Amino acid sequence: MNVLVVGGAGYIGSHTAKTLKRAGHNPVVLDNLSTGHRWAVRWGPLVEADLADKKAILQAIRDHQIEAVIHFAANAYVGESMQNPAKYFRNNVANMLNLLEAQHESGVKRIVFSSSCTTYGIPERVPISEDFPQSAISPYGESKLMGEKMLKWFGECYGLGWVALRYFNASGADPEGEIGEVHDPETHLIPLVIDAALGKRPPVRIFGTDYPTPDGTAIRDYIHVMDLADAHVRALQYLLEGGESTAFNLGTGHGHSVREVIAAVERVGGRKVPAEEAPRRAGDPPALVADPSKAHRILGWEAQYRELNQIVETAWRFAENRKQ
Ligand code: UFG
């Protein structure tokens, strides 16, 4: 199948393009390269275009005989979204509407969408299942929630088939080392801890040591990027087989604290990580852990990288060899 991978030059998009190719599909990446990387597009053509340009989307769909879409392109910094909400609503909501309209106009009836556990805000308890109330606490989270709502209504009104995948903390890298996580600026814990260990960055700051968790630091469900990529291919297959539009949580079902992540990097790297305690980061919930049983039941999906060590190993290898 010819699949338009919107945002396929980015972290999760590029790993998904590789997995799609391996599954026998043809990934066509559409990306404006604002945060993605040309070097990460290796498994099919790159259409350099912006979602603000609906004509360019229509053209790409026509030129490449696109049959389905996977949509990753978005700005994804919670902090930045609090400073500049308009950027998030314009890029993540208004521009996504161009994509949905282009799909409708050209009869492309299926889409898999990158959503986020952020749409649950601060959950009352963990693990989080898909029927938990969604109430975002940042413009970024709200923009993802609005994306899900647009899908729902394009489904109701036009028969669009959609799957929203609510990722927990994407992490790790391609085990073959071809691609990995490179954000600018980097704000994510695992690459920052690894770079601190490698002496490429200053000591890592532990944001908050007074959370109501066993060691006082915040807990997240780190899910390997190749597991996320696999879920996208399964979601696509599910839609092709006539599966009902719905959302799935993607996580391992196990949480790890910031201190546990640091300890894992120390084990894998065989060296001490320079770290210092710092105040909580505004807007960080104490614990986010997925209940991934729905994805298991319906998509037959399950995380293969179950141990934090395995995730950190792939990220470490990529960071060590990275030239970009
Ligand atoms: N953390 C630190 N020090 C750092 C960076 C992070 O202690 O230097 C902590 C955070 O406070 C958090 C945990 O490590 O408790 C994970 O932080 P990340 O920034 O790696 O990830 P988040 O859970 O904040 O972010 C995830 C996704 C984002 C998404 C966000 C929405 O990775 O892409 O959820 O909440 F935007």
Side-chain angles (χ1 to χ4, degrees):
M1 196 167 35
N2 299 325
V3 183
L4 193 66
V5 185
V6 181
Y11 174 40
I12 308 170
S14 59
H15 288 77
T16 301
K18 180 171 181 172
T19 306
L20 279 167
K21 187 72 185 172
R22 201 158 269 179
H25 300 298
N26 301 314
V28 175
V29 169
L30 187 142
D31 203 299
N32 66 2
L33 299 180
S34 64
T35 57
H37 313 283
R38 198 179 292 278
W39 55 259
V41 183
R42 306 177 52 158
W43 294 278
L46 168 66
V47 178
E48 207 176 321
D50 196 293
L51 285 186
D53 182 354
K54 195 171 94 181
K55 277 201 188 116
I57 308 170
L58 284 165
Q59 184 78 41
I61 289 175
R62 254 195 320 270
D63 288 353
H64 297 276
Q65 295 166 29
I66 294 300
E67 299 162 86
V69 171
I70 307 186
H71 176 39
F72 296 95
N75 293 112
Y77 292 119
V78 173
E80 182 189 55
S81 80
M82 300 293 289
Q83 306 297 322
N84 189 355
K87 177 175 176 181
Y88 280 72
F89 293 118
R90 184 164 298 112
N91 290 344
N92 296 2
V93 182
N95 289 350
M96 176 172 169
L97 191 54
N98 286 336
L99 175 64
L100 296 181
E101 276 192 308
Q103 281 192 239
H104 174 56
E105 286 169 25
S106 46
V108 179
K109 288 284 188 196
R110 295 176 190 94
I111 182 169
V112 177
F113 172 59
S114 295
S115 188
S116 169
C117 63
T118 324
T119 56
Y120 296 110
I122 300 182
E124 271 177 16
R125 56 183 197 284
V126 294
I128 301 167
S129 55
E130 290 80 357
D131 53 5
F132 269 42
Q134 287 176 294
S135 99
I137 54 167
S138 70
Y140 167 65
E142 193 76 87
S143 73
K144 287 287 169 186
L145 194 48
M146 290 165 86
E148 288 197 13
K149 291 195 170 152
M150 291 194 293
L151 291 176
K152 174 183 164 220
W153 289 109
F154 271 70
E156 298 273 340
C157 304
Y158 296 140
L160 179 71
W162 57 270
V163 165
L165 297 176
R166 297 179 188 148
Y167 316 147
F168 282 64
N169 283 58
S171 48
D174 170 24
E176 289 161 5
E178 292 186 290
I179 41 178
E181 183 170 14
V182 182
H183 294 115
D184 185 19
E186 188 55 81
T187 59
H188 295 101
L189 181 64
I190 292 181
L192 289 178
V193 175
I194 292 175
D195 281 358
L198 290 169
K200 292 183 179 178
R201 285 184 201 266
V204 67
R205 294 196 300 150
I206 301 172
F207 293 146
T209 52
D210 58 350
Y211 282 106
T213 59
D215 69 14
T217 65
I219 290 178
R220 294 289 181 274
D221 184 338
Y222 295 91
I223 176 75
H224 198 280
V225 65
M226 294 307 285
D227 281 325
L228 292 180
D230 173 45
H232 288 79
V233 178
R234 287 173 189 264
L236 207 57
Q237 199 61 40
Y238 163 83
L239 285 175
L240 281 179
E241 289 162 5
E244 213 178 289
S245 297
T246 191
F248 296 100
N249 285 343
L250 298 180
T252 62
H254 300 285
H256 295 285
S257 71
V258 174
R259 288 197 203 281
E260 284 172 346
V261 169
I262 293 173
V265 170
E266 290 182 337
R267 271 196 308 276
V268 168
R271 61 186 89 173
K272 193 97 190 107
V273 173
E276 55 195 42
E277 297 186 356
R280 292 184 184 194
R281 188 171 65 180
D284 275 349
L288 294 172
V289 180
D291 171 353
S293 56
K294 182 177 172 188
H296 182 50
R297 201 171 58 248
I298 297 178
L299 300 178
W301 177 85
E302 205 171 22
Q304 300 302 308
Y305 292 81
R306 288 159 184 275
E307 303 298 327
L308 190 54
N309 267 18
Q310 295 175 292
I311 293 178
V312 169
E313 273 161 19
T314 60
W316 179 278
R317 254 199 319 274
F318 179 73
E320 220 177 15
N321 298 326
R322 190 173 86 213
K323 287 172 199 72
Q324 291 85 15

